[in-house]
Amino acid sequence: MKRRNFLKKASLTGVGIAVSSTTTIGCAETPSEEKKSVAMASSTKATLPLVIATWHVMDATAKAMEVLQAGGNALDAVEQGCRVEEANEKGQSVGKGGLPDRDGNVTLDACIMDKHGNCGSVVYLQNITHAVSVARKVMEDTPHVMLAGEGAKQFAVSKGFEAENLLTEASKKAWEKWKVEAKYKPIINIENHDTIGMLAIDKNGDISGACTTSGLAYKMGGRVGDSPIIGSGLFVDNEIGACVATGLGEEVVKTVGSFLVVELMRQGKTPQEACEEAVGRIVNKPNSDYKNFQVGYIAVNKKGETGSYAIHQWFSMTKFQDGINEQIQSDYFNKA
């Protein structure tokens, strides 16, 4: 994944994420052209099944689509898609190989939600690679929604998940380099956190979603962001649509962002319009420091229309539909 370059200063030029030949949005376009391109992407006639995910994660969306085309449901698809990135050690932001907290511990957060509104979540999970699958087990095999820390790990082991050291040599070296100064601030365009969020609609028109992350690199021990919190990092309403968030989780939590996007779609807004308004709720807050952090949303409605929007440039959505697996650059608020 190329997401760790995402938080480079918005003023820097020549920095971008490579997009597929089918993508029409580029950094050379005017804002009006970008808006038009995004609108076109959102209004394309929807055919099912459909998968969308945050960032450039074509292997993950390909896996999810493989599940759907084989007759699997949307819940199976998002779980299996997210597992691809959790096992990607080079990504350093999800699952094995994730960057640790300031004490050197890799801690994972994840959640999953099905078409019935059932959900499961794990927070501060250690030594288990596939947090999204543990979250599904919480949803399906317990009366609870969320398990945390050692309890989540013990539950995972009891369900047959293998405990292993998630701190790879590459992530350990990065942490040791950070310890020289041991400074932390989520400065925009120097990305030290990230997430994969995925939404899918299967051939029956049913929606599910999942979200998984290793959270902020070098965070305080015990820190949890929006990713495992239902309604903030992820929300699914099978009658309306679904949304997933990425970026600085604290800011998403403050506005219950993913739930907000779905409720705005319930009121009649398109996924694109809903994502834009949700970002607006953040940047228009009194004394908002939005120029120094990023938040991005992706969303899909029951019709299969999609949208994505962020505070700053270089956020993208991967979309697999009609046999085309492509990366689409997101429109964004801060064009100054």
Side-chain angles (χ1 to χ4, degrees):
M1 293 187 290
K2 303 298 183 184
R3 304 186 304 279
R4 291 203 169 276
N5 294 322
F6 158 60
L7 291 180
K8 285 189 178 165
K9 282 225 181 242
S11 60
L12 294 179
T13 59
V15 180
I17 304 175
V19 299
S20 73
S21 60
T22 57
T23 304
T24 59
I25 302 173
C27 60
E29 292 180 320
T30 64
S32 61
E33 289 172 331
E34 287 180 307
K35 199 82 166 182
K36 181 179 178 181
S37 297
V38 172
M40 289 174 63
S42 298
S43 62
T44 301
K45 183 180 178 181
T47 57
L48 303 179
L50 165 68
V51 180
I52 60 174
T54 55
W55 303 106
H56 187 196
V57 288
M58 290 187 179
D59 289 344
T61 50
K63 180 62 178 180
M65 183 57 72
E66 177 186 319
V67 171
L68 293 173
Q69 290 176 337
N73 60 37
L75 185 66
D76 296 330
V78 295
E79 179 191 7
Q80 293 301 315
C82 286
R83 282 173 64 96
V84 169
E85 288 304 321
E86 288 178 333
N88 177 15
E89 297 181 20
K90 295 181 180 180
Q92 292 189 300
S93 63
V94 181
K96 191 171 184 178
L99 293 173
D101 63 20
R102 60 186 57 190
D103 300 316
N105 301 310
V106 179
T107 64
L108 309 181
D109 304 320
C111 70
I112 196 165
M113 196 166 186
D114 71 10
K115 64 181 181 180
H116 301 296
N118 298 314
C119 48
S121 171
V122 290
V123 302
Y124 201 63
L125 176 66
Q126 298 184 53
N127 303 118
I128 304 293
T129 297
H130 293 299
V132 69
S133 294
V134 182
R136 182 171 179 175
K137 286 294 185 182
V138 172
M139 177 180 74
E140 295 179 337
D141 295 353
T142 81
H144 308 306
V145 167
M146 182 180 292
L147 292 180
E150 185 62 25
K153 177 184 174 183
Q154 290 176 2
F155 171 74
V157 171
S158 76
K159 290 297 178 178
F161 290 85
E162 182 181 351
E164 59 180 326
N165 181 14
L166 303 184
L167 185 65
T168 60
E169 191 62 29
S171 293
K172 182 179 180 181
K173 287 181 179 178
W175 169 60
E176 290 173 341
K177 182 178 180 180
W178 172 82
K179 286 196 297 180
V180 174
E181 293 188 357
K183 293 181 179 180
Y184 175 75
K185 182 181 179 181
I187 303 172
I188 189 162
N189 299 323
I190 303 176
E191 187 180 2
N192 55 1
H193 63 100
D194 213 347
T195 303
I196 175 175
M198 182 176 289
L199 306 172
I201 307 181
D202 58 33
K203 64 181 180 180
N204 297 321
D206 292 321
I207 310 170
S208 290
C211 187
T212 182
T213 186
S214 58
L216 290 168
Y218 321 128
K219 61 198 173 187
M220 293 177 64
R223 180 265 184 188
V224 174
D226 68 301
S227 295
I229 300 176
I230 302 299
S232 290
L234 169 72
F235 194 71
V236 176
D237 185 325
N238 201 43
E239 294 182 355
I240 305 300
C243 176
V244 70
T246 187
L248 186 60
E250 283 77 1
E251 297 301 323
V252 177
V253 169
K254 291 173 186 177
T255 54
V256 199
S258 291
F259 178 79
L260 172 61
V261 170
V262 174
E263 286 304 296
L264 290 168
M265 290 193 290
R266 186 188 301 278
Q267 295 170 19
K269 292 187 181 295
T270 67
Q272 185 64 34
E273 291 169 339
C275 289
E276 291 179 15
E277 182 163 334
V279 166
R281 297 285 183 95
I282 295 172
V283 301
N284 292 320
K285 287 167 59 178
N287 302 315
S288 175
D289 192 33
Y290 72 87
K291 291 185 178 181
N292 291 314
F293 63 82
Q294 173 73 305
V295 168
Y297 294 107
I298 64 170
V300 63
N301 66 13
K302 192 68 172 177
K303 299 176 183 178
E305 297 171 332
T306 63
S308 65
Y309 198 67
I311 298 176
H312 300 284
Q313 196 173 11
W314 309 129
F315 175 54
S316 65
M317 173 178 71
T318 303
K319 181 177 181 179
F320 203 147
Q321 185 180 34
D322 289 330
I324 300 173
N325 194 12
E326 61 181 330
Q327 186 187 13
I328 300 173
Q329 288 290 317
S330 174
D331 194 8
Y332 56 99
F333 173 82
N334 189 28
K335 295 183 171 70

